[in-house]
Amino acid sequence: MTSAQVDTEKTPEGPEEGYERGLGSRQVQMIAIGGAIGVGLFLGAGANIAKAGPSLILMYALAGVIIFFIMRALGELLLYRPVSGSFAEYSREFLGPFFGYFTGWTYWLMWVVTGMAELTAAAIYVNYWFPSIPQWVTALVFLVVLFGVNLISVKLFGELEFWFSMVKVTALIGMIVIGLGVLTFGFSSAGDTAAVSNLWAFDGFFPKGVGSSLMTLQGVMFAYLAVELVGVTAGESEDPEKTLPKAINTLPWRIALFYVGALTVILCVVRWTEFAPGVSPFVAAFAKIGIPAGAAIVNFVVLTAALSSCNSGMYSTGRMLRNLADSGEAPAAFRKLSATKTPALGIAVSVAFMGIGVVLNYVVPEKAFGYVTSVATAAGIWTWLMILISHVLYRRAVDAGRLPASPFPAPGGAKCSYVAIAFLLFVTGLIAYDADSRVCLYVMAGWAAALGVGWAVLKSRSPQITRDRRPEPEEFDKVG
């Protein structure tokens, strides 16, 4: 693509123009699976088990149902009009230009701070083997390596993500099988105490009370961040009409197996009272079972989970900045693609901001993870709300005959989206109630104010960005 082509005024299909459709079915499937298995489960579950005990299983199941509602709403929108950078595009179409601008930048923020969290987690995992290496050094090395991968090509990103996800999936299935073996046959040093009754034998299923269990929902929702990443791949998937529905419809069994199933087995094998914040429950469980090198193997797996998520963050932030630039809501330079058809400048700028995570690991290594995860959760909740509200408005337009129906309608229509909206508002209320996590709402308020000022400046310089950019009817024929 030439620079002249890039700088030309875009149609609403412009955000995916010029991208290489280099993500095959197996890669999209694994990106979807990998998005459902992140550091929030591998590391964050330790603190949540200490707060909620076995009832954390129920919290993951409840949140998993809501995530499925969100993904089916997104799936209906994606098949109605598949675009890269879809969250901002649908907000722009159904709620107006400001919401597209706000959602695009907020999703960018979510991935930047998530990247910081993953770099922090990766550094903590490496510290398991090499305690003498400072966290900030490890975080910086990983940041540079993944940056290089994302600059080369989308195919290399997809291939790396495929193998990262393969490691996570294989390891989690292995953990579940070994745990079931311990429960069934009683082998290992954990065999004498492993029992299903561990789920209720120590102060009940809700040992800290229902309220304490509900307070873990904010951490649980962070664990599910990135599951929507499959939507960002729409513009670079070889056959989105086939691969995206398949990826989304397999989400329930992924949640049931990898979250609910894995946590259930671990909490049956090891009493919940033996887990502590800051320690991966999977590493702790394998150490308890006593399998030679088991804890080290699991530590390697959770390291790949952190690197996988950071890799995805670099991928998505570059695409989101290009989408914003395409709409006149970010510097025009972000529109340009490199010779390898990647938004190199957008990725580079995002990586520079992720470098703040390296600084945090230098200044406050013990608190860096907690700081950034709360901000990422708040930004993620906004993104999910925009997907759901856009879906509700889209269904209204379809019912009124103004827009064509999607070939992948969400079950229950807009009803499930209303349920999910109520749930996300409830979680936001929990965040506001908790003094430790409330700070992220202050950060988001400051972010909103900054974006408001930015929007006012944009309007004064380029009044045309406020115009209605809904697709014309003939464009639906192109994608339909």
Side-chain angles (χ1 to χ4, degrees):
M1 173 187 289
T2 67
S3 59
Q5 286 173 302
V6 175
D7 291 334
T8 301
E9 181 72 14
K10 303 290 187 300
T11 69
E13 282 196 299
E16 72 268 23
E17 181 182 322
Y19 283 131
E20 177 185 7
R21 289 194 176 269
L23 297 177
S25 177
R26 70 180 176 88
Q27 292 168 327
V28 172
Q29 292 296 319
M30 272 301 175
I31 287 171
I33 292 173
I37 309 170
V39 73
L41 172 64
F42 283 124
L43 182 62
N48 288 326
I49 289 172
K51 291 179 183 177
S55 64
L56 182 64
I57 298 167
L58 181 60
M59 297 301 105
Y60 271 105
L62 175 61
V65 171
I66 299 301
I67 291 296
F68 181 62
F69 290 167
I70 294 170
M71 289 304 294
R72 281 306 302 258
L74 176 59
E76 182 167 358
L77 291 170
L78 285 171
L79 271 294
Y80 142 70
R81 190 165 67 92
V83 287
S84 192
S86 52
F87 319 123
E89 276 296 291
Y90 299 132
S91 298
R92 191 173 290 117
E93 178 178 350
F94 294 106
L95 289 104
F98 174 76
F99 286 92
Y101 158 83
F102 195 100
T103 301
W105 278 109
T106 301
Y107 192 66
W108 175 84
L109 174 71
M110 186 202 89
W111 269 115
V112 165
V113 294
T114 298
M116 295 180 196
E118 308 302 355
L119 289 170
T120 301
I124 290 171
Y125 297 143
V126 171
N127 199 50
Y128 176 87
W129 294 300
F130 306 104
S132 61
I133 299 179
Q135 276 184 211
W136 72 269
V137 173
T138 309
L140 180 60
V141 170
F142 286 138
L143 183 69
V144 172
V145 171
L146 292 177
F147 175 47
V149 167
N150 272 270
L151 287 185
I152 295 172
S153 74
V154 69
K155 284 186 177 180
L156 182 59
F157 158 78
E159 200 62 32
L160 186 62
E161 199 58 31
F162 174 84
W163 289 109
F164 273 153
S165 296
M166 185 66 77
V167 169
K168 292 187 286 186
V169 170
T170 303
L172 269 179
I173 292 174
M175 293 178 205
I176 292 171
V177 170
I178 292 171
L180 291 174
V182 172
L183 282 170
T184 305
F185 302 108
F187 63 81
S188 88
S189 57
D192 294 337
T193 56
V196 176
S197 60
N198 284 340
L199 295 178
W200 60 82
F202 299 92
D203 297 323
F205 189 69
F206 292 90
K208 300 291 185 72
V210 175
S212 183
S213 298
L214 290 174
M215 291 304 295
T216 65
L217 281 173
Q218 51 190 300
V220 168
M221 296 309 288
F222 173 75
Y224 284 120
L225 288 184
V227 72
E228 77 291 328
L229 180 66
V230 68
V232 183
T233 69
E236 293 170 272
S237 301
E238 291 176 350
D239 190 358
E241 289 78 11
K242 292 183 180 179
T243 57
L244 295 179
K246 185 177 180 181
I248 291 170
N249 280 335
T250 55
L251 184 65
W253 73 259
R254 296 200 305 270
I255 290 173
L257 179 64
F258 298 132
Y259 279 90
V260 178
L263 279 176
T264 300
V265 170
I266 280 182
L267 290 172
C268 287
V269 171
V270 182
R271 298 169 183 171
W272 73 269
T273 54
E274 298 186 34
F275 294 108
V279 178
S280 168
F282 296 90
V283 174
F286 268 65
K288 175 72 174 179
I289 291 172
I291 295 175
I297 292 171
V298 176
N299 197 67
F300 170 74
V301 172
V302 296
L303 172 61
T304 65
L307 296 178
S308 168
S309 186
C310 189
N311 187 40
S312 297
M314 291 183 188
Y315 169 86
S316 59
T317 50
R319 274 72 185 168
M320 194 58 70
L321 285 181
R322 186 175 186 237
N323 177 274
L324 288 163
D326 192 82
S327 301
E329 296 160 358
F334 289 134
R335 290 179 181 175
K336 296 180 181 179
L337 295 178
S338 68
T340 56
K341 298 185 179 180
T342 61
L345 180 61
I347 295 172
V349 170
S350 301
V351 167
F353 277 93
M354 288 182 191
I356 295 172
V358 176
V359 177
L360 286 175
N361 276 283
Y362 178 76
V363 179
V364 284
E366 72 286 352
K367 296 181 179 180
F369 187 76
Y371 283 161
V372 294
T373 55
S374 62
V375 175
T377 303
I381 287 175
W382 172 270
T383 301
W384 289 334
L385 281 171
M386 290 300 99
I387 291 170
L388 293 165
I389 294 171
S390 296
H391 177 249
V392 168
L393 296 175
Y394 166 70
R395 289 304 297 251
R396 287 182 185 173
V398 171
D399 292 343
R402 296 194 303 271
L403 290 177
S406 170
F408 186 50
K415 297 183 182 67
C416 291
S417 290
Y418 281 117
V419 172
I421 290 169
F423 179 86
L424 293 178
L425 293 177
F426 174 69
V427 172
T428 304
L430 293 177
I431 292 173
Y433 180 77
D434 183 13
D436 291 334
S437 60
R438 192 183 303 146
V439 64
C440 75
L441 297 182
Y442 301 142
V443 172
M444 290 304 296
W447 175 251
L451 287 181
V453 172
W455 182 251
V457 172
L458 281 174
K459 280 201 303 181
S460 65
R461 291 182 176 179
S462 307
Q464 71 272 15
I465 70 167
T466 61
R467 73 185 187 278
D468 188 348
R469 286 190 290 261
R470 288 186 175 89
E472 296 300 326
E474 60 269 18
E475 292 175 31
F476 295 119
D477 298 332
K478 297 177 186 177
V479 295

